[in-house]
Amino acid sequence: MKKIILTGGGTAGHVTPNIALVPKLKAADFEIKYIGSKKGMEKQLVEDAGLDYAGISSGKLRRYFSFQNFIDPFKIVKGYFQAKRIIKKFKPDVVFSKGGFVTVPVVYAAAKYGVPVISHESDITPGLANRLALKKTSLVCYSFPETAKHLGSKGKFTGSPIRAELFEGKADVAKKMCDFTDDKPVIMVTGGSLGAENVNKLVRAALPTLLEKFNVAHLCGEGKTDETLQDTAGYAQFEYIKDEMKDFFAMADLMISRAGANSIFEIVALAKPNILIPLSANASRGDQILNAKSFEKQGFSVVLEEDGATGKDLVDKVNTLYSEKDKYITAMKSSNFSGGVDSIIETILEKAK
C-alpha cells in the first residue's frame, strides 16, 4: 500500500479539493493522512470525511498590522519540526499540497526527507504559500491556462479537482430546507466558507426587488445571518452548508458568488449561470479579480465589481443574466470542464512510484 499526505487549510477552498481526491486515492490503494492547522476549520471538514488528521502549529499572512505578525514566524518554525516528526513516522511516498499557510512547513519538511511534493494552484497567479514552497515542490498542477507563465517547467495543467457528489444533488431536498413551495426560479448566494460581508449587504439591499421574481437561498457565513429577515417569504439564510451543498447547487437557477477559484470552477462544471463579485484589490492581492475577468472573457460569467456597487446594480445584473441564461449555459457546457481529479490522480501515481 502506498502512502500519501494531503495538506491545505485556512478556508474550505484549500480543503474540499483535497477531499475530492479521496475516493480515487482509496481506489488506488493509498493510505491517507491529512496535515492541517491545530485550530483551523479544516480539522472538522477532514475528520467528517473520515480521514486521519494531524494538526500542527501554523502562521497566517495578514495584509494589515498585527502583533501576531511578529509571532507567526516562530509558529511556522514550530510547525516545521512537528511536520518533520509526522513525516518521519508515517513515511509517505508523496505529499499533495493545496495551499494555505499551514502547507509551507509541511512542504519543507517533506523535501528534507526527499519526499516528492505536488502542489495545486487554483488561481491565475500563485498565492504566497505556493510561491514560498515552489522551490521545494516537484510539480505544480494548475487550473487556469494563464498560470503556466508563472511556473515554468514545474507546471502541469490539470484543471481543478471537483467533488463527484456535487453532480448528484437533489433540488427537492434543498427546497424543503429553504421552505420554498412555489415555482419561482432560485438564486443561490455564497460568499465562500467564511462568508462575505459586502456581498451580504448588496444582496440584502436588492432583496425586496429580487423577491418579486425569485426565491433567494443565501449562505451568509458564520455569525452573518440577519435575524430581522428570518421570516421573509422566499428568502432562506444559512451560515454554512456542508453535506447538502450538492442539493443547493441542484436547486439553483442562478448563482451569486465571490470569485474564489475552487468555487467558480464548481459553478462552471455544473453549468450554473452566475454573477461573480470578486474581492476588491483593496482587500486582497487581486486574484479574484483576475479569476472573474478570465471567466467573463470566456463567456461563463457576469462580473460585478463590489466597489461602489448598489443593490440596484445587482438587480440589473440578475435580470440581464436571467434573460440571457441559455447563452451562458451553452458556453459553460461547451467548455467540457468536468474537473481535474483524474489528471491529478495520474500525476500523484507517477510521483509515488
Side-chain angles (χ1 to χ4, degrees):
M1 177 179 282
K2 293 183 175 64
K3 295 182 178 182
I4 185 170
I5 285 177
L6 303 178
T7 183
T11 68
H14 289 138
V15 182
T16 53
N18 275 333
I19 294 174
L21 301 175
V22 169
K24 292 204 172 183
L25 285 173
K26 288 182 176 179
D29 204 30
F30 273 94
E31 181 181 351
I32 305 167
K33 181 180 282 291
Y34 199 106
I35 299 180
S37 59
K38 286 186 178 294
K39 299 179 181 179
M41 70 176 300
E42 62 267 23
K43 185 176 189 294
Q44 190 64 52
L45 292 172
V46 170
E47 290 181 344
D48 286 348
L51 299 181
D52 181 24
Y53 186 87
I56 64 172
S57 177
S58 174
K60 179 181 178 181
L61 171 64
R62 299 175 183 83
R63 292 179 174 83
Y64 54 87
F65 175 80
S66 170
F67 285 109
Q68 286 294 122
N69 291 338
F70 299 102
I71 299 171
D72 280 357
F74 297 99
K75 291 183 179 179
I76 294 169
V77 171
K78 182 180 179 181
Y80 168 73
F81 286 105
Q82 291 171 330
K84 278 184 66 178
R85 286 194 292 271
I86 295 167
I87 290 168
K88 184 178 181 180
K89 182 178 180 181
F90 186 66
K91 296 181 172 59
D93 296 284
V94 64
V95 169
F96 183 80
S97 168
K98 190 58 196 74
F101 238 61
V102 69
T103 66
V104 177
V106 179
V107 170
Y108 273 71
K112 181 69 175 178
Y113 288 112
V115 179
V117 176
I118 301 167
S119 64
H120 185 275
E121 179 54 60
S122 296
D123 293 311
I124 288 180
T125 58
L128 180 57
N130 276 345
R131 295 203 306 273
L132 290 173
L134 183 59
K135 67 179 180 179
K136 301 295 183 182
T137 302
S138 305
L139 189 71
V140 183
C141 301
Y142 57 91
S143 298
F144 286 93
E146 297 98 319
T147 310
K149 62 186 178 183
H150 300 285
L151 301 175
S153 61
K154 285 191 175 183
K156 179 180 179 180
F157 178 73
T158 60
S160 185
I162 304 295
R163 295 167 285 169
E165 66 266 23
L166 290 183
F167 298 91
E168 302 168 357
K170 297 179 179 179
D172 289 346
V173 173
K175 284 186 176 181
K176 186 174 182 180
M177 288 180 64
C178 295
D179 197 28
F180 294 159
T181 56
D182 56 34
D183 293 326
K184 286 182 180 179
V186 176
I187 299 172
M188 176 178 163
V189 183
T190 175
S193 59
L194 302 179
E197 193 64 39
N198 286 342
V199 173
N200 292 348
K201 288 178 180 177
L202 274 174
V203 169
R204 287 166 182 155
L207 196 59
T209 306
L210 292 177
L211 291 177
E212 294 174 5
K213 298 180 181 178
F214 301 92
N215 289 320
V216 178
H218 189 174
L219 310 187
C220 310
E222 185 177 358
K224 295 182 173 71
T225 58
D226 186 337
E227 293 302 316
T228 66
L229 297 171
Q230 199 62 41
D231 297 320
T232 302
Y235 177 67
Q237 52 184 337
F238 305 86
E239 290 190 345
Y240 182 66
I241 294 292
K242 184 168 66 71
D243 294 336
E244 299 88 357
M245 183 62 88
K246 62 184 184 297
D247 304 314
F248 275 68
F249 271 124
M251 173 181 67
D253 296 287
L254 301 181
M255 297 283 303
I256 297 172
S257 175
R258 279 296 196 203
N262 293 307
S263 295
I264 63 178
F265 275 109
E266 289 177 347
I267 290 169
V268 170
L270 294 165
K272 296 294 179 177
N274 61 93
I275 296 169
L276 301 182
I277 307 177
L279 195 63
S280 71
N282 292 327
S284 72
R285 64 186 180 89
D287 50 301
Q288 290 199 11
I289 295 173
L290 294 176
N291 296 345
K293 286 182 177 179
S294 175
F295 272 36
E296 184 178 47
K297 183 178 180 180
Q298 295 176 75
F300 301 157
S301 307
V302 172
V303 176
L304 176 62
E305 300 285 353
E306 71 175 2
D307 289 342
T310 66
K312 183 181 182 304
D313 294 330
L314 181 58
V315 169
D316 290 343
K317 293 282 188 181
V318 166
N319 287 334
T320 299
L321 175 64
Y322 190 68
S323 68
E324 299 177 350
K325 62 184 184 300
D326 291 342
K327 177 180 72 174
Y328 290 94
I329 291 171
T330 298
M332 287 184 279
K333 286 185 174 180
S334 66
S335 71
N336 294 319
F337 181 80
S338 59
V341 169
D342 289 340
S343 182
I344 292 170
I345 293 294
E346 179 184 324
T347 304
I348 288 172
L349 287 169
E350 290 172 357
K351 291 295 181 182
K353 288 178 182 178

